[in-house]
Amino acid sequence: MTDIDISSHRVNITDTESARKGDEIIDKTAQNGDDAKIKDMSSPQVIGLDDETVIPKGTIDPVYEAKARVLNHAIQEIGMGWYQWQLFIVVGFGWANDNLWPVVTSLILTPITNEFLPHRPSFLVLAQNIGLLAGAIFWGFGCDVFGRRWAFNSTLGVTAVFGLIAAGSPNFAAIGCFAALWSFGVGGNLPVDSAIFLEFLPGSHQYLLTILSVDWAIAQVIATLVAWPLLGNLTCQEDTVCRRSENMGWRYFVIAMGGISVIEFFIRFALFTIYESPKYLMGKGRDEDAVRIVHEVARRNGKTSNLALADLQACDPLGTGPRTDAAAALQRKLEKLDLTHVRALFANKKLAYSTSLITAVWAFIGLAYPLYNAFLPYIQATRGAKFGDGSTYLTYRNSLIIAVLGVPGALIGGFLVQLPKFGRRGTLAASTTLTGVFLYASTTAVTSEALLGWNCAFNFFGNVLYAVLYAYTPEIFATKDRGTGNAIAATANRIFGIMAPIIAMFANLQTSAPVYTSGALFLAAGLIVTILPFESQGKASL
């Protein structure tokens, strides 16, 4: 990496640009008779101080807020360039894996059950959800402490390695352990990837966070296409003696999905240079490194930046940055173990209100989806459903149609979030509510065609929901606490997700109440969205 001579930029700004701006303001204040302002003209002017942001001015620490606004201005000045578009591609790998591997688990559950005959097959889903929970906690909270860069590369690597190893599992316990381990990597994708992508995006292009969910939908299409020939032709049938040699389809399928993750990891690690987030570095008191990264991004985009170290220092005239003595170093190590980032998310009434509500939304949705999937077969049977479509061809054909319709859902979500007076909250509230409505509608299906139609609508609006939710959540957290905020939301989602297979294992499956509860959870989440305090449309994140 080429080092940027920050000192030369600092001299230029302080000696020339600030002097020019100072003279202009002195002229204006002299005309207004305001002598008090002239006394402060020796300090560089803080650029970007009045730019509109998601979190209103004065809500968080003033020094951090001022510096974040300066960095927002610098990133916006550079604009959307080559580096950000490359980042858009490699971040999409994380979005894809977040959906790919849970789909893998659901598709291999039946052949694994046929081969290993476990007493409780739902333990495989439970193992996956425990891994997702551990990953969300570790990577989400960790990236606010140790940085985004190492976590960004590590999550895909962990997923790829344990995904490939899982194909050789000799028994049900082994595949359960490996599912938890690959899910540990998957659980960190969105908390980390959304943070690092958002922190390099100009405010004018934050809608791309929503568009990223097209990778989430495409992953489901790819998994279904690969599973169709492998699981359709190389899987034991139920109620037969199932030998390993006759049931190799799920193993080949897991190898194929692990191979995709290996390729994605290689592209991220070997072919793309990821820089640490400038706002993360600034939040850690490393202003000089933050400025250097901004200049490096500008260089990669074929542009130059006027940002100088003095611009950030002007936001902290008292110089209250971190001390460098041994005692301070020890103190910083101990501070990594406290709840500083968590407390910051509840620092005042409005932030606490926002954090609590978005966490509740994630929690409700985390329980609603798996509850619906676990209990739907019963309610369909009680309604006299006679689908008559158990063939492999119809099963995978219908799955593919449903998966394909998720792709336009993500794209339309990216369009809707930019509509004036509708924005993120309007799109999220509408899509969440409609997901619940179509969930209820799907329970009325008594023919294959009706079920397919309702499921297509359910999946379409579900993809709009996730596209907006994945984008909106990191936008409403400040950068220094974003990983922690993402981790809290994801943790709530995973905890409630763990509850679903436990309910399925021990509750009475001969009841329709859980399905209707699932629909009610979607509707409740939609109502909660309408009272969220922050709208991020057209505003830069801090």
Side-chain angles (χ1 to χ4, degrees):
M1 182 186 302
T2 304
D3 292 333
I4 306 296
D5 187 359
I6 301 171
S7 61
S8 63
H9 288 275
R10 179 167 64 249
V11 172
N12 179 53
I13 290 292
T14 55
D15 294 348
T16 306
E17 184 69 11
S18 295
R20 179 182 62 77
K21 293 177 180 177
D23 290 341
E24 292 174 359
I25 298 176
I26 290 173
D27 291 340
K28 293 178 182 178
T29 53
Q31 292 173 5
N32 296 328
D34 190 353
D35 294 330
K37 293 182 180 179
I38 301 178
K39 296 177 182 179
D40 295 325
M41 288 303 103
S42 58
S43 300
Q45 185 180 357
V46 180
I47 57 175
L49 195 59
D50 296 320
D51 292 349
E52 191 173 16
T53 55
V54 177
I55 302 175
K57 192 173 181 179
T59 306
I60 59 177
D61 177 76
V63 173
Y64 172 84
E65 179 183 342
K67 289 184 176 183
R69 289 174 181 271
V70 170
L71 290 174
N72 280 345
H73 183 86
I75 295 295
Q76 184 66 49
E77 186 180 48
I78 294 172
M80 189 73 186
W82 182 236
Y83 179 79
Q84 285 95 340
W85 285 117
Q86 287 179 311
L87 189 60
F88 177 80
I89 294 172
V90 296
V91 166
F93 298 159
W95 252 255
N97 275 265
D98 184 75
N99 195 25
L100 180 72
W101 286 95
V103 169
V104 168
T105 303
S106 66
L107 290 174
I108 66 175
L109 180 59
T110 297
I112 283 176
T113 301
N114 294 341
E115 181 175 341
F116 297 129
L117 302 175
H119 180 60
R120 295 191 184 276
S122 296
F123 275 130
L124 180 64
V125 180
L126 181 61
Q128 170 196 264
N129 287 343
I130 290 173
L132 291 171
L133 171 62
I137 294 173
F138 178 79
W139 302 109
F141 287 101
C143 75
D144 272 347
V145 176
F146 307 110
R148 278 77 158 121
R149 184 180 181 183
W150 69 276
F152 182 73
N153 285 323
S154 300
T155 50
L156 276 184
V158 170
T159 303
V161 169
F162 289 109
L164 290 174
I165 295 174
S169 298
N171 51 49
F172 185 74
I175 186 60
C177 290
F178 290 127
L181 289 169
W182 83 51
S183 297
F184 176 74
V186 173
N189 281 318
L190 286 178
V192 176
D193 294 9
S194 61
I196 201 163
F197 185 53
L198 182 61
E199 288 155 24
F200 281 105
L201 269 183
S204 59
H205 286 72
Q206 284 183 191
Y207 69 90
L208 288 175
L209 266 176
T210 305
I211 301 296
L212 266 174
S213 286
V214 73
D215 295 294
W216 199 82
I218 290 173
Q220 186 176 354
V221 175
I222 293 173
T224 305
L225 284 173
V226 175
W228 191 340
L230 293 177
L231 298 183
N233 298 313
L234 300 173
T235 298
C236 292
Q237 298 302 311
E238 294 185 34
D239 302 323
T240 62
V241 177
C242 186
R243 299 179 179 85
R244 174 169 175 162
S245 60
E246 301 168 344
N247 198 47
M248 292 296 291
W250 75 266
R251 298 178 189 273
Y252 296 146
F253 178 57
V254 171
I255 290 173
M257 298 301 100
I260 290 175
S261 294
V262 167
I263 294 171
E264 292 170 335
F265 171 73
F266 176 78
I267 293 173
R268 270 195 185 184
F269 187 77
L271 304 182
F272 179 75
T273 301
I274 181 69
Y275 300 122
E276 187 57 86
S277 161
K279 288 184 194 172
Y280 168 80
L281 294 170
M282 176 271 292
K284 294 296 183 182
R286 297 165 59 185
D287 290 355
E288 189 167 349
D289 288 332
V291 173
R292 177 176 58 81
I293 295 300
V294 170
H295 281 280
E296 185 61 25
V297 171
R299 185 188 66 80
R300 288 277 293 270
N301 288 355
K303 296 185 178 181
T304 58
S305 173
N306 292 322
L307 179 68
L309 184 60
D311 294 320
L312 294 180
Q313 291 174 335
C315 302
D316 187 15
L318 298 180
T320 56
R323 293 173 291 137
T324 57
D325 55 89
L330 177 61
Q331 180 181 357
R332 286 195 296 276
K333 292 293 184 183
L334 295 175
E335 284 175 350
K336 291 181 179 181
L337 304 177
D338 68 16
L339 299 177
T340 300
H341 293 292
V342 176
R343 286 197 296 267
L345 297 172
F346 299 87
N348 57 53
K349 185 176 180 180
K350 197 167 188 178
L351 286 176
Y353 186 62
S354 175
T355 302
S356 300
L357 290 180
I358 197 66
T359 301
V361 170
W362 276 91
F364 285 1
I365 292 173
L367 179 58
Y369 264 110
L371 262 186
Y372 169 77
N373 292 328
F375 288 86
L376 181 62
Y378 167 74
I379 194 171
Q380 288 174 337
T382 60
R383 293 295 172 85
K386 301 295 182 183
F387 301 121
D389 59 355
S391 70
T392 299
Y393 170 77
L394 284 175
T395 298
Y396 283 101
R397 185 208 67 176
N398 291 353
S399 296
L400 184 60
I401 292 172
I402 293 170
V404 167
L405 281 176
V407 177
L411 296 174
I412 291 174
F415 168 75
L416 292 176
V417 296
Q418 295 298 96
L419 289 180
K421 299 183 180 180
F422 197 58
R424 270 68 158 170
R425 284 184 302 185
T427 306
L428 183 56
S431 59
T432 305
T433 302
L434 287 171
T435 300
V437 168
F438 284 109
L439 183 152
Y440 280 132
S442 68
T443 63
T444 67
V446 292
T447 66
S448 176
E449 292 76 14
L451 180 63
L452 177 61
W454 292 127
N455 279 341
C456 285
F458 174 79
N459 195 54
F460 174 84
F461 286 106
N463 273 271
V464 177
L465 182 168
Y466 271 116
V468 182
L469 186 61
Y470 284 160
Y472 176 78
T473 302
E475 287 180 333
I476 62 174
F477 298 127
T479 295
K480 65 186 181 69
D481 311 309
R482 181 167 292 132
T484 300
N486 287 344
I488 289 175
T491 298
N493 181 267
R494 305 309 187 188
I495 288 175
F496 276 70
I498 286 175
M499 293 167 58
I502 294 176
I503 293 172
M505 282 189 285
F506 298 105
N508 175 20
L509 285 173
Q510 304 300 307
T511 175
S512 59
V515 174
Y516 293 111
T517 301
S518 176
L521 287 170
F522 278 114
L523 296 178
L527 290 175
I528 292 173
V529 171
T530 62
I531 58 175
L532 286 166
F534 301 133
E535 172 55 64
S536 55
Q537 183 195 51
K539 302 171 185 176
S541 63
L542 290 174

